[in-house]
Amino acid sequence: MNIAIVGTGHVGLVTGACFADLGNRVLCMDHDQTKIQLLQKGNIPFFEPGLAELIQKNIKQKRLFFSTQMKDAVKFGKVVFLCVGTPPRSTGEADLSAIENVCEQIANHLTQYRLIVEKSTVPVETGAQLKKRIKQSVRRQVSFDVASNSEFLREGSAVQDFFKPDRIVLGVENERSRRILLELYKPFNVPIVVTNVEGGELIKHACNSFLAAKISFVNLVSQVCEKVGADIEKVAEGVGSDRRIGRAFLNAGIGYGGSCFPKDVQAFIKICEKLEVDANFLKGVERINESQKKRFVEKVHRAMRGVKGKTLGVLGLAFKPDTDDMRCAPSVDILTELKQAGAKIIAYDPQAMEAAKVMLNDVSYAKTPYEVCKGADALLILTEWREFRELDLKQIKKLLKHPIIIDGRNIYDPIVPKRMGFQYYSIGRKGFK
Ligand code: UDX
């Protein structure tokens, strides 16, 4: 099938490259000329494991094309996926201006039936608004449909998540749209949830908000663990062993970040408020997430007996491992507060330092994880990159001015650093709070 992708960010590029790899012909469109030129050479402007290779392979096999022209996209793709950003406004509501603008452009080029599919996360009832807007702008009586087909891609494992989804969600308004999308997703052997457009839109916000709630719940429990001397790792294991709950997304730490959870929880709060539905549960999820970061800063102050004039070595800046993404990364709030309290920061992250330089000023950056330890008064762990678990703690102890590790992602078994003479602090673990 011929597919058009509008917007070449994380979601658009992964969706386009993967659909091409399944044998479809895909044209990815973006108004950013520089980005399109980069993509035509097979390069991508962000780190996502396996994506660059997939793009290069499918360009070579003439299944993946790029353009800056909406006209090309609408002419080429029977299905047009909307993959443009829906960032939060200052009020927390999703800013739909980009997706509305794109729909007007699509309407201006509609000359034959097209199925326009929301791939980006949008507030429920957006589909109905887009349909109205296209109807107003479309030149002649050309038929089109709008559908919702949310992605559940995680940064750092997006390609794998595309090919091995837990389920596919189709929000359709009629049989014709249903048939087209079922045809497109034929190669997938997973449950396909078919519902109306509103249902399709709602599933994504509900899913992300529930995952964020799981994280805030385990962080709340970690705060209780620190008070009563329980071990959050064991408590999470005990809770997560209940098949109805599941162990995933019950890892206590410094809270969730990224371009999705913070934005989607906020947007869902606004949706509930607009619909006069009680949003306090979701506000609680947000509040706990903020308190987890603040409590980590307090932990650092406690461990260091104040940070003024001290040097803190920091391992990990990205909002999670296997990505270079710093959007809403907990490290930004945490390090900003510690700098304001007079600490000097030297940081290392395998992928995110370039992105961090834009968001974190007056922070020094190191070339290796060991370099951040040289002469530092303490070592902070803010992102659980696999390589940090393999570090030589003996060498780290020699390099640090004081043997203090404050582990915001519980990457070490507390007994190990303790046996080596470190003062080891972590999240929700008895004796190491
Ligand atoms: C999320 C959803 O998982 C994905 O389905 C959706 O399509 C987009 O949003 P993503 O934001 O890429 O994906 O990252 P995710 O792996 O979900 O982690 C989000 C945040 O939660 C990260 O900051 C991570 O560190 C944190 N997290 C995750 C925890 O603190 N504890 C956990 O147990 C899991």
Side-chain angles (χ1 to χ4, degrees):
M1 194 183 293
N2 281 6
I3 295 166
I5 302 280
V6 178
T8 58
H10 266 97
V11 172
L13 270 185
V14 170
T15 303
C18 293
F19 269 135
D21 211 51
L22 288 172
N24 300 288
R25 298 175 72 245
V26 180
L27 185 138
C28 294
M29 180 265 166
D30 199 302
H31 59 194
D32 180 337
Q33 176 89 32
T34 320
K35 195 189 257 191
I36 290 297
Q37 282 164 351
L38 192 75
L39 290 166
Q40 278 162 336
K41 295 190 196 96
N43 302 321
I44 57 172
F46 52 79
F47 176 71
E48 181 59 52
L51 182 59
E53 297 81 350
L54 208 59
I55 286 176
Q56 287 148 14
K57 171 188 162 195
N58 284 282
I59 290 174
K60 210 160 142 219
Q61 297 188 1
K62 300 200 181 327
R63 288 199 295 257
L64 186 59
F65 314 90
F66 298 93
S67 167
T68 56
Q69 303 304 312
M70 183 60 81
K71 187 162 182 279
D72 298 346
V74 178
K75 186 158 172 269
F76 181 87
K78 176 176 185 181
V79 181
V80 182
F81 280 99
L82 306 176
C83 301
V84 291
T86 55
R89 291 184 188 285
S90 55
T91 59
E93 276 150 336
D95 176 355
L96 301 177
S97 52
I99 204 165
E100 286 165 348
N101 177 15
V102 156
C103 280
E104 278 193 31
Q105 292 175 44
I106 290 172
N108 293 336
H109 296 294
L110 271 182
T111 56
Q112 57 187 313
Y113 175 82
R114 287 293 175 256
L115 175 56
I116 297 152
V117 182
E118 296 165 333
K119 194 49 123 166
S120 310
T121 305
V122 292
V124 61
E125 300 185 315
T126 299
Q129 290 168 34
L130 297 180
K131 187 173 175 109
K132 214 182 287 167
R133 190 174 279 264
I134 296 172
K135 265 209 175 102
Q136 284 159 359
S137 316
V138 70
R139 283 207 194 104
R140 29 185 174 286
Q141 288 321 311
V142 174
S143 68
F144 69 92
D145 287 317
V146 172
S148 158
N149 172 220
S150 293
E151 47 76 25
F152 298 92
L153 307 175
R154 288 167 298 167
E155 291 184 31
S157 57
V159 172
Q160 178 197 324
D161 289 345
F162 181 95
F163 285 119
K164 296 196 174 76
D166 290 341
R167 74 324 203 169
I168 286 156
V169 172
L170 304 178
V172 292
E173 53 181 333
N174 56 39
E175 183 53 23
R176 183 177 190 180
S177 320
R178 192 178 81 90
R179 262 205 326 276
I180 293 170
L181 289 175
L182 285 178
E183 175 62 25
L184 184 58
Y185 282 103
K186 213 173 185 167
F188 290 78
N189 182 20
V190 295
I192 299 187
V193 178
V194 183
T195 181
N196 64 2
V197 178
E198 289 72 18
E201 293 166 332
L202 203 43
I203 286 170
K204 180 63 187 288
H205 266 130
C207 190
N208 269 5
S209 298
F210 186 79
L211 290 168
K214 265 190 106 172
I215 295 164
S216 279
F217 181 78
V218 76
N219 283 332
L220 171 79
V221 175
S222 78
Q223 295 176 20
V224 174
C225 285
E226 292 192 358
K227 299 272 184 199
V228 301
D231 179 331
I232 189 58
E233 302 296 312
K234 287 297 169 195
V235 170
E237 189 185 328
V239 169
S241 304
D242 184 318
R243 279 196 305 277
R244 295 165 301 177
I245 298 171
R247 180 66 184 79
F249 281 67
L250 281 180
N251 302 323
I254 51 176
Y256 60 78
S259 62
C260 298
F261 285 179
K263 161 176 86 72
D264 291 354
V265 172
Q266 240 315 299
F268 206 13
I269 287 169
K270 292 298 172 191
I271 290 165
C272 290
E273 288 174 341
K274 186 177 142 208
L275 299 169
E276 291 176 1
V277 170
D278 184 341
N280 283 330
F281 172 78
L282 295 168
K283 287 179 179 171
V285 170
E286 259 191 345
R287 245 192 336 271
I288 294 166
N289 200 52
E290 289 311 306
S291 75
Q292 200 68 359
K293 288 182 271 188
K294 288 201 177 336
R295 294 170 69 94
F296 184 78
V297 171
E298 287 158 13
K299 196 185 288 275
V300 175
H301 280 294
R302 232 180 10 255
M304 310 294 297
R305 295 191 180 77
V307 298
K308 193 169 171 46
K310 294 187 181 163
T311 300
L312 301 177
V314 173
L315 289 181
L317 294 167
F319 82 94
K320 65 181 236 185
D322 301 326
T323 181
D324 58 358
D325 201 339
M326 284 294 293
R327 286 175 288 183
C328 297
S331 63
V332 178
D333 291 346
I334 288 169
L335 296 180
T336 301
E337 277 211 41
L338 290 170
K339 281 190 296 131
Q340 277 165 0
K344 289 193 209 71
I345 308 287
I346 174 162
Y348 170 82
D349 185 288
Q351 292 289 342
M353 288 193 283
E354 282 316 306
K357 284 171 186 164
V358 178
M359 303 174 82
L360 275 169
N361 46 29
D362 57 51
V363 164
S364 319
Y365 292 94
K367 290 186 179 53
T368 71
Y370 295 103
E371 198 183 315
V372 308
C373 303
K374 215 182 288 172
D377 293 289
L379 176 63
L380 274 52
I381 316 265
L382 301 186
T383 311
E384 64 278 26
W385 283 94
R386 268 180 299 282
E387 64 182 84
F388 297 162
R389 297 176 199 271
E390 324 296 325
L391 291 175
D392 176 351
L393 289 177
K394 278 203 190 75
Q395 191 181 344
I396 285 179
K397 191 163 183 255
K398 279 192 203 121
L399 292 165
L400 285 171
K401 203 188 284 176
H402 305 290
I404 300 173
I405 295 179
I406 308 165
D407 183 354
R409 294 290 186 180
N410 288 357
I411 70 169
Y412 294 122
D413 173 347
I415 300 300
V416 175
K418 183 163 173 55
R419 269 206 201 112
M420 296 172 73
F422 282 97
Q423 291 169 45
Y424 177 71
Y425 301 81
S426 59
I427 305 287
R429 297 200 283 191
K430 183 175 183 190
F432 304 98
K433 57 183 186 181

